[in-house]
Amino acid sequence: MLNLTQNTKQQLKISSKQIQWLNFLQHSTLELHTKIEEALTENPLLELEESPNNEFDDDVLNASSLSEKSNFKDWDEIDEEGSSNYNFTEINSGSSIETLQLRQDTSLLDDVLEQIHHLNISHKQAEICRYIIHSLDEHGFLPYESDDLADDISFAHNTFVEESEVKEAILLIQQLEPQGLASKNPASYLFFQLKSNFSSLAEKSKVIIAQYFQEFANKQFDKIMRELALSEDELQEIQKLILSLNVHPLHAKLLTTSSQEYVVPDYIIIQGMNQLEASLNSSSLPKIKINEPVAKNLKQQFSQNASSFIQQKVTQAEWLIQAIEQREKTMQKVIKTILRLQKEYFQSGDVQLLKPMILKDVAHIIDMDIATVSRVTSGKYAQTPFGLIHLKDLFSEATQKEDGNWVSNKSIQQVIREIITSENPKIPLSDSQITDILKEKGFPTARRTVAKYREQLGILPAQLRKVL
């Protein structure tokens, strides 16, 4: 006998169009420009509007100082104090918009492989070299033993490879550009750079790298001077020489193939006479529209199947145009709210004036989902009088000071940076000492929190900041 059961449950279903919209919302200005160009190529019913703003220069974006051409007065532009403190305007041609280069148009990995191709070596040697190059880590080091590599290459190419052949290939690769590739670790790479230097200073540096590298890295200078009978002046000169060398053969971002990329600001923010003024950098985007006469003629001239195809292209074009308009409206609402919440910061550029703000705060004010705010701010940059800023960096948790006021965690990080900048480099402050100084300044912060913030700022611990 069949047993029938009935369950009730709630389930959220997101349509494919909603997913497509959320992905579209996350595009930066540069990514959206590429998306529009692709749509113009793929959709015959899309065309550019006749507008002087359709020119897009990949190197320098021409845009204007802010005008009062389009002012979104329908928004609630009055802050709590009753004064207008932000304004949205369009960008015209005239002034230059700042861009920030992210990556170079190069691939060192491809360059090295090309050098192998031109070497006068056997096919087997070339295959061994290629395998080794593809085994390098992001810094250009080879973290594998030569005997293990010999076994791996033998298995991969179904031919016997001896360890001596691998060692020979490593020596060969190390002479290519950039020299020192396939070094085992930072110590061996530093030693490689000093190999042809036979000065007294270089010879002493080689001894330290070969026998006391860990002590040198940990700034245990007293032990090195005592055991090698070095004076402080000698060790200072050795330190200068070693620190002048490259740390690793490759920069991490240059190991993989990448095209030239720039950060293009999505917003332009300036301080007017009595208010903050902000614009979307939409002038750099091609203005598109549907070519209605062409669509109509095509429908009349071709079969029903062709008409269905044409209608599909019309629908796609309409969605793209509407999505661009909705993206701009959403971005305008978000930046309006951020300007209101962070008015003092945008007026001065002082990080310590940054107020605690989380995604939920903005989402609540504009009555949108937190995920929507996250997509609008991730990867989006604003050009301000004090430089380019990533909107995501404006969000931070709150910490309560001893006086009861709440401050942004970014403010505490800035104070930590200032404390470390002003410390005595010969006697750097420990995390515990920084914690005590913060408490004196009214920031009750735990030592582990100070360590976390210090690491986020990219600052080394006290022992590694010590200098002679």
Side-chain angles (χ1 to χ4, degrees), residues 50-85:
E50 293 298 327
S51 170
N53 289 333
N54 284 335
E55 295 296 326
F56 186 90
D57 188 343
D58 287 332
D59 296 321
V60 179
L61 295 175
N62 292 323
S64 89
S65 53
L66 302 163
S67 70
E68 296 180 358
K69 207 173 179 186
S70 174
N71 197 352
F72 295 89
K73 295 291 187 181
D74 53 316
W75 290 339
D76 176 19
E77 296 187 354
I78 308 300
D79 64 8
E80 294 81 353
E81 299 174 357
S83 61
S84 176
N85 68 333

Side-chain angles (χ1 to χ4, degrees), residues 15 54 99 105 109 194 201 272 306 315 326 376 425 436 456 463:
S15 67
N54 284 335
T99 60
D105 187 15
L109 182 59
L194 293 171
L201 188 64
T315 302
Q326 185 61 39
V376 169
D436 294 337
Q456 290 175 353
Q463 187 178 17

